[in-house]
Amino acid sequence: METQREPHSISLKAFGSAYVGEPFSCTLCANNELSDSSNRRISAVSIGAEIQAPTQTIPLDLVLADQIDQTELGSGESLQKIIRFDLKEEGNHVLAVSLKYTETLTDDERESRERVRTFRKLYQFVAAPCLSVRTKVSDLPQRGFGNEKRSGTNPMSFALEAQLENMADSPITLVKVSCSPKLSFDITSITWDVSRPGTEKMERPFLMPRDVTQAAFLIKQKPNSTVEMTKDGRVILGQLIIRWRSLMGDPGSLTTGWLTTRRRP
């Protein structure tokens, strides 16, 4: 006698570590677990998925793991699709997976009955920060006083220092650390990824878990330009853009919020 159980199941291995700035990917596999002697046939199989992030829900595009989009599954066959999604928020995430299929039941008199069935599974995981970024902005000495410091004849200059710490459980390699400035500023990098004539090119930092490295930039106001300021009197300088690769070669990237100076007098 055949046990009456769901003819399909969705299998998904336990997630490993998930980090903000890196791609989250996994394979969804819908399996037909009916025996060869079953009087039920499975067709019109489809899989859907979405990510429920802390601030939004995002529908996901699924890519076939095989070349053939097989929607009718025999006993022991499976439909596999791949998810790939860039994690941009810290905190709890939920991967919601839905399966829809048509079940055709044939009785002893060869009469067929069809019904559409659906079910849904939820998989929860946490996205943690891969890199901790701490910044410090220092005013560089200049001539002029008061409002003269914002004039075109006395452009402002700053030093931006960034401390980068690997918060992941495995090593990473920093590929590039750059600063995207506001239009009123020029940026000069004085960090490890800058090659200068007559000097040896430095190796990219390889950071073990909890290792720290430094990056620095000189920021100078363009002549006759007007800086953008916050409501409380801080000069808006730009954003840091950090790129790295995991131990397995997967790319990661992080863009900070807008970096500002101290309040101006």
Side-chain angles (χ1 to χ4, degrees), residues 50-60 85-96 125 127:
E50 64 182 19
I51 285 283
Q52 298 171 7
T55 62
Q56 59 183 329
T57 298
I58 305 170
L60 300 178
F85 172 74
D86 290 331
L87 293 171
K88 298 180 180 179
E89 297 183 67
E90 294 182 32
N92 290 328
H93 288 63
V94 176
L95 172 62
F125 63 97

Side-chain angles (χ1 to χ4, degrees), residues 2 5 7-8 30-42 70 72-78:
E2 184 183 74
R5 66 172 186 173
H8 269 65
N31 305 305
N32 184 351
E33 298 181 347
L34 294 174
S35 64
D36 291 331
S37 59
S38 174
N39 63 344
R40 290 184 285 175
R41 183 173 60 86
I42 303 302
Q70 186 177 7
E72 183 170 343
L73 302 180
S75 174
E77 294 182 340
S78 63

Side-chain angles (χ1 to χ4, degrees), residues 63-89:
V63 179
L64 281 171
D66 300 320
Q67 295 295 328
I68 302 176
D69 190 1
Q70 186 177 7
T71 58
E72 183 170 343
L73 302 180
S75 174
E77 294 182 340
S78 63
L79 173 65
Q80 298 185 30
K81 291 194 174 183
I82 298 172
I83 289 173
R84 189 174 179 88
F85 172 74
D86 290 331
L87 293 171
K88 298 180 180 179
E89 297 183 67

Side-chain angles (χ1 to χ4, degrees), residues 27-197:
T27 300
L28 300 177
C29 181
N31 305 305
N32 184 351
E33 298 181 347
L34 294 174
S35 64
D36 291 331
S37 59
S38 174
N39 63 344
R40 290 184 285 175
R41 183 173 60 86
I42 303 302
S43 61
V45 181
S46 64
I47 305 175
E50 64 182 19
I51 285 283
Q52 298 171 7
T55 62
Q56 59 183 329
T57 298
I58 305 170
L60 300 178
D61 294 326
L62 278 65
V63 179
L64 281 171
D66 300 320
Q67 295 295 328
I68 302 176
D69 190 1
Q70 186 177 7
T71 58
E72 183 170 343
L73 302 180
S75 174
E77 294 182 340
S78 63
L79 173 65
Q80 298 185 30
K81 291 194 174 183
I82 298 172
I83 289 173
R84 189 174 179 88
F85 172 74
D86 290 331
L87 293 171
K88 298 180 180 179
E89 297 183 67
E90 294 182 32
N92 290 328
H93 288 63
V94 176
L95 172 62
V97 181
S98 59
L99 177 67
K100 181 179 180 180
Y101 60 93
T102 299
E103 181 185 71
T104 304
L105 178 63
T106 305
D107 58 22
D108 294 337
E109 297 179 358
R110 297 300 178 183
E111 293 183 359
S112 298
R113 298 189 301 274
E114 289 188 353
R115 61 176 175 174
V116 177
R117 308 190 66 173
T118 62
F119 70 90
R120 183 178 174 92
K121 283 193 174 184
L122 304 178
Y123 303 90
Q124 186 172 355
F125 63 97
V126 177
C130 181
L131 278 177
S132 171
V133 183
R134 301 178 181 90
T135 59
K136 176 183 177 182
V137 177
S138 304
D139 288 49
L140 296 179
Q142 58 177 300
R143 297 179 180 179
F145 300 91
N147 292 332
E148 294 180 1
K149 292 185 179 181
R150 300 190 184 95
S151 68
T153 57
N154 281 287
M156 295 181 289
S157 298
F158 305 94
L160 170 62
E161 302 170 72
Q163 177 179 285
L164 312 176
E165 181 179 359
N166 179 12
M167 304 298 292
D169 296 329
S170 59
I172 63 172
T173 300
L174 288 181
V175 175
K176 188 173 182 63
V177 180
S178 59
C179 183
S180 177
K182 285 290 188 179
L183 293 177
S184 54
F185 291 103
D186 286 322
I187 296 287
T188 302
S189 175
I190 52 175
T191 190
W192 47 267
D193 58 350
V194 176
S195 59
R196 296 178 176 83

Side-chain angles (χ1 to χ4, degrees), residues 186-259:
D186 286 322
I187 296 287
T188 302
S189 175
I190 52 175
T191 190
W192 47 267
D193 58 350
V194 176
S195 59
R196 296 178 176 83
T199 61
E200 294 184 3
K201 187 175 181 180
M202 299 180 64
E203 293 185 359
R204 295 172 176 173
F206 180 77
L207 302 182
M208 298 293 291
R210 302 304 180 270
D211 277 358
V212 176
T213 191
Q214 306 284 338
F217 302 86
L218 296 177
I219 304 176
K220 186 174 182 179
Q221 182 186 0
K222 296 178 181 177
N224 302 314
S225 65
T226 301
V227 300
E228 185 176 340
M229 303 188 71
T230 62
K231 293 181 180 179
D232 62 351
R234 303 172 188 269
V235 179
I236 303 176
L237 301 177
Q239 295 174 292
L240 281 181
I241 302 173
I242 307 160
R243 304 187 187 281
W244 68 89
R245 287 196 176 274
S246 69
L247 189 61
M248 299 300 294
D250 293 325
S253 64
L254 176 68
T255 301
T256 67
W258 290 107
L259 304 175

